[in-house]
Amino acid sequence: MYKICVLPGDGIGKEVTVEAVKLIQALAEKHHLVFELEEDIVGGTSIDAHGVPITDQVLNKAKAADVVLLGAVGGPKWEGLDYAIRPERALLKLREELGLFANLRPVKVFSSLVHASTLKPEIVDGIDLMVLRELIGGIYFGEPKGVETLPDGTQKGVNTEVYTTPEVERIAHKAFELARKRRKKVLSVDKANVLESSELWRNTVVDVAKDYKDVELDHMYVDNCAMQLIRNPKQFDVIVTTNLFGDILSDEAAMLTGSIGMLPSASLGEKHAMYEPVHGSAPDIEGQNKANPLATILSVGMMMRYTLNLPELADSIEKAVEKVLEAGFRTPDIMSEGCQLVSCTEMGEQVIKNLD
Ligand code: IPM
Ligand code: MN
């Protein structure tokens, strides 16, 4: 029996998790497994109900579960709030309190979607890379931070990029371990030509690499990496980088697949794990049944593979998604000529129908 804490959040987060939950239930039935699903609120929805983006009760529920499935948080309604109580805090707090230092964002292009990308098919066909983002350090959490008013009445805004050797070591180990199961190439991305913290990052990764002589290690500055990702994305296997650079590069890499609506993610720590689509709450299409549930559905696949140790279920989810795409079903974000436009709900149903 597995206990899954489901936190749909806001906007389309609510719509895509409905489809993921139906899929989990279908899998449970098919494979005679028991998944205990516990749902609760986070983000703007929690701010409206309790005045805070996540309550201690929900945080404890997340900690007590085997795994967390999250939709998305945020929306224009809560944008003016203080940073300490914005919807995004729920996510950051979950990551921090659960110790989820490693964020895996695999970028794989389904061959039936090569034409959905804004890049030429020959550039994107066959892409299979992994952005490994450090998730609980760097400028997202570094101190000092905040806005202060100076004696002359002007204001100063501060955030601090901080990395310690243990923080870099653990994410570097993760990168090499992942690479060993892939094409044995790690690219560490930094800005070591300008930032001292990046120099420490790079030196630490080089040290850790000594334990992984079978894995090839390269380095790239983040500006160059942003360019290389659209110039020749097939050169990459595992890209390991800081919290902020990983946030930016993974959105860029997502578009190689045609839509950010296709990208799943896993956030892993020593004891806990959380799975979520890389996309946000998309308030512009919320409530219209137009969202692409595949990123969340593929996140369930990652959950089966990395946390619940059910790789055959992960395979069956991925295969079902592939079949549905090959059959021509498309949500609006990946729609192209000659395909059949479907809603979020219909896409979810198609995946379940195609499970073997
Ligand atoms: C992501 C998101 C989050 C982040 C936001 C919503 C806090 O953009 O998961 O990539 O910046 O990490
Ligand atoms: Mn992001």
Side-chain angles (χ1 to χ4, degrees):
M1 197 188 82
Y2 302 97
K3 208 188 239 177
I4 306 175
C5 175
V6 182
L7 305 173
D10 309 315
I12 63 164
K14 294 184 178 158
E15 300 163 46
V16 293
T17 43
V18 168
E19 300 316 311
V21 165
K22 282 194 251 171
L23 172 73
I24 293 170
Q25 284 161 343
L27 285 167
E29 215 167 288
K30 247 186 169 49
H31 298 268
H32 311 288
L33 295 162
V34 181
F35 295 112
E36 193 188 314
L37 296 160
E38 273 203 316
E39 202 171 307
D40 220 313
I41 58 174
V42 289
T45 310
S46 171
I47 294 172
D48 289 349
H50 306 295
V52 289
I54 184 164
T55 61
D56 288 343
Q57 192 202 346
V58 173
L59 203 55
N60 289 334
K61 230 186 221 183
K63 282 182 187 165
D66 291 307
V67 66
V68 179
L69 177 69
L70 189 124
V73 294
K77 184 175 173 194
W78 307 282
E79 251 158 39
L81 294 175
D82 205 70
Y83 278 88
I85 53 156
R86 283 206 192 180
E88 287 77 6
R89 268 297 128 192
L91 196 52
L92 299 175
K93 203 163 175 183
L94 277 164
R95 289 173 181 171
E96 192 179 23
E97 296 257 334
L98 301 182
L100 309 174
F101 67 91
N103 183 216
L104 284 62
R105 299 186 162 187
V107 180
K108 215 170 162 172
V109 174
F110 288 92
S111 48
S112 42
L113 284 187
V114 279
H115 294 280
S117 174
T118 47
L119 297 187
K120 292 186 191 122
E122 63 268 28
I123 302 288
V124 298
D125 194 13
I127 288 176
D128 181 3
L129 65 90
M130 170 85 79
V131 178
L132 177 62
R133 169 186 177 193
E134 196 293 323
L135 203 59
I136 51 174
I139 200 165
Y140 272 60
F141 296 92
E143 302 274 355
K145 65 167 155 189
V147 175
E148 66 177 285
T149 303
L150 301 173
D152 68 357
T154 59
Q155 288 187 300
K156 185 170 101 174
V158 179
N159 288 96
T160 310
E161 172 80 352
V162 186
Y163 273 109
T164 60
T165 36
E167 284 176 309
V168 183
E169 279 164 5
R170 66 181 175 183
I171 194 74
H173 280 291
K174 196 92 202 169
F176 290 110
E177 281 155 20
L178 280 170
R180 273 191 172 156
K181 293 187 196 144
R182 299 173 48 98
R183 298 192 304 281
K184 297 197 163 70
K185 274 171 62 173
V186 169
L187 177 77
S188 171
V189 173
D190 60 42
K191 188 68 186 170
N193 53 342
V194 177
L195 306 176
E196 283 86 349
S197 63
S198 268
E199 190 184 28
L200 177 85
W201 175 282
R202 187 178 286 220
N203 291 339
T204 308
V205 174
V206 168
D207 275 347
V208 172
K210 291 173 188 151
D211 295 345
Y212 302 87
K213 292 256 158 57
D214 53 321
V215 179
E216 184 189 323
L217 171 66
D218 278 306
H219 306 271
M220 205 180 265
Y221 298 137
V222 64
D223 47 353
N224 185 25
C225 183
M227 180 181 74
Q228 295 295 336
L229 266 174
I230 52 166
R231 193 186 77 91
N232 175 20
K234 276 184 260 186
Q235 68 185 286
F236 300 114
D237 182 15
V238 174
I239 298 177
V240 62
T241 190
T242 63
N243 204 342
L244 182 64
F245 295 162
D247 179 47
I248 299 166
L249 293 177
S250 61
D251 265 37
E252 187 190 6
M255 279 318 288
L256 302 169
T257 68
S259 167
I260 195 166
M262 292 300 301
L263 224 67
S265 85
S267 303
L268 311 176
E270 309 289 354
K271 290 205 294 274
H272 300 281
M274 181 162 82
Y275 293 81
E276 57 174 311
V278 170
H279 65 71
S281 57
D284 54 320
I285 56 162
E286 120 171 58
Q288 298 171 37
N289 203 9
K290 276 184 183 168
N292 184 348
L294 294 180
T296 313
I297 283 171
L298 291 167
S299 299
V300 173
M302 290 186 84
M303 174 193 293
M304 299 296 168
R305 193 179 303 287
Y306 292 102
T307 300
L308 304 185
N309 264 315
L310 299 164
E312 63 286 355
L313 267 66
D315 289 343
S316 86
I317 293 172
E318 280 157 24
K319 267 190 216 130
V321 169
E322 213 167 309
K323 274 199 235 162
V324 168
L325 292 172
E326 261 156 34
F329 295 104
R330 301 283 188 276
T331 43
D333 57 317
I334 48 173
M335 184 59 189
S336 59
E337 230 184 277
C339 292
Q340 189 182 335
L341 192 65
V342 291
S343 65
C344 179
T345 318
E346 286 163 336
M347 186 58 107
E349 281 163 3
Q350 282 301 330
V351 174
I352 291 174
K353 238 190 245 174
N354 281 280
L355 289 170
D356 46 39

